[in-house]
Amino acid sequence: MIELIPAIDIIGGQCVRLTKGDYKAKTVYSTNPADTARQFESLGFKRLHVVDLDGAKSRHIVNHDVLRAITSTTNLIVDFGGGIKTDEDIETAFECGAAMVTVGSVAVTSPDLFTGWIQKYGADRLILGADVRNGMVSINGWKEDTTTPLLPFLRYYVEQGVKNVLCTDISRDGTLSGPATELYTEVMRAYPMLHLIASGGVSSNDDIIQLDRHGIPSVVFGKAFYEGKIDINQLLRTWD
């Protein structure tokens, strides 16, 4: 049974969505992310994925007050990412109520720091962010492409004890063009022990059903919800 995780992306304290990670292609869906989080909770969701896009761009947490507003007014299990580059950043995220933290860029640029966080906080509280463009990992708010292929990147961190991976196909994110099911299936085939969270491109209930049929453990969706492309009540009935 696939886990359903709605997403809130934050720029300037507002709930937004980008297209393919382009900060110039921004749509604002709410001026109050905490209200949006409470709406998700009222619908019956238990988890929430929150991304500080300002933080990802600035390379340090920016919207920690928004995170605190969400966690202090809901009982949602919140995972938070974007701009977590230092010990201070990760401590701030946990202090502001994040149950889990998603880390991507640091895992590429400072692997010793990230593995130290795994040892300090435990693998259950950390999610490895693996943002992919053309098969290679991308970092710093998707602004920089690397020459690091996805599967070897994952292999290294599986060996370090990582259990949770959020994989986003950047080319599909915010496009409503359907998820990269083949990519996620390839990851699960290589590393079936991972709790993989698929992200990017979800456009309909059927997309989520297909991911479930392919054995993908979790899915994040945002734009499809905000634009009424998915039937939330039907989804929750299906996976209740």
Side-chain angles (χ1 to χ4, degrees):
M1 183 175 70
I2 196 166
E3 181 182 30
L4 305 171
I5 309 174
I8 291 178
D9 293 355
I10 306 166
I11 292 180
Q14 299 180 318
C15 176
V16 308
R17 293 299 289 177
L18 307 181
T19 300
K20 299 183 180 181
D22 184 354
Y23 282 71
K24 295 178 182 178
K26 178 184 73 175
T27 302
V28 177
Y29 289 103
S30 168
T31 58
N32 191 324
D35 279 349
T36 302
R38 288 189 287 272
Q39 180 185 6
F40 283 129
E41 185 174 39
S42 70
L43 288 169
F45 291 103
K46 307 299 183 186
R47 279 279 303 271
L48 180 67
H49 176 62
V50 178
V51 182
D52 181 356
L53 290 175
D54 291 317
K57 191 174 184 179
S58 302
R59 305 187 186 187
H60 62 85
I61 288 180
V62 174
N63 289 290
H64 52 86
D65 288 342
V66 177
L67 171 62
R68 190 186 299 277
I70 291 171
T71 60
S72 64
T73 59
T74 74
N75 292 309
L76 293 165
I77 299 169
V78 178
D79 71 78
F80 179 83
I84 296 175
K85 299 289 192 291
T86 66
D87 290 332
E88 182 180 2
D89 287 326
I90 194 168
E91 287 288 347
T92 296
F94 285 134
E95 288 170 3
C96 289
M100 291 172 280
V101 168
T102 301
V103 179
S105 301
V106 162
V108 177
T109 61
S110 304
D112 289 344
L113 180 59
F114 183 58
T115 53
W117 289 346
I118 295 171
Q119 295 165 6
K120 180 176 181 179
Y121 299 105
D124 290 334
R125 299 191 74 191
L126 287 165
I127 300 171
L128 174 63
D131 302 324
V132 183
R133 183 161 32 216
N134 299 322
M136 302 295 173
V137 176
S138 185
I139 61 174
N140 294 326
W142 303 347
K143 295 299 181 184
E144 299 177 36
D145 294 329
T146 73
T147 56
T148 303
L150 175 62
L151 291 183
F153 175 69
L154 295 179
R155 182 185 308 117
Y156 175 80
Y157 281 111
V158 166
E159 293 170 353
Q160 306 307 311
V162 161
K163 299 178 180 179
N164 306 295
V165 172
L166 173 72
C167 186
T168 303
D169 184 330
I170 298 168
S171 69
R172 295 172 185 257
D173 192 72
T175 65
L176 300 174
S177 60
T181 304
E182 291 183 5
L183 172 66
Y184 306 134
T185 302
E186 182 181 11
V187 170
M188 290 305 300
R189 187 180 300 117
Y191 308 110
M193 74 294 291
L194 286 177
H195 186 86
L196 178 67
I197 306 167
S199 173
V202 170
S203 65
S204 65
N205 287 32
D206 188 60
D207 285 340
I208 296 173
I209 290 168
Q210 291 303 317
L211 288 170
D212 183 56
R213 287 176 177 168
H214 281 82
I216 310 304
S218 296
V219 59
V220 164
F221 55 87
K223 190 171 185 177
F225 168 82
Y226 298 119
E227 300 203 353
K229 303 293 185 183
I230 54 180
D231 184 332
I232 294 298
N233 291 327
Q234 183 186 55
L235 277 180
L236 292 173
R237 284 196 304 270
T238 301
W239 281 283
D240 187 6

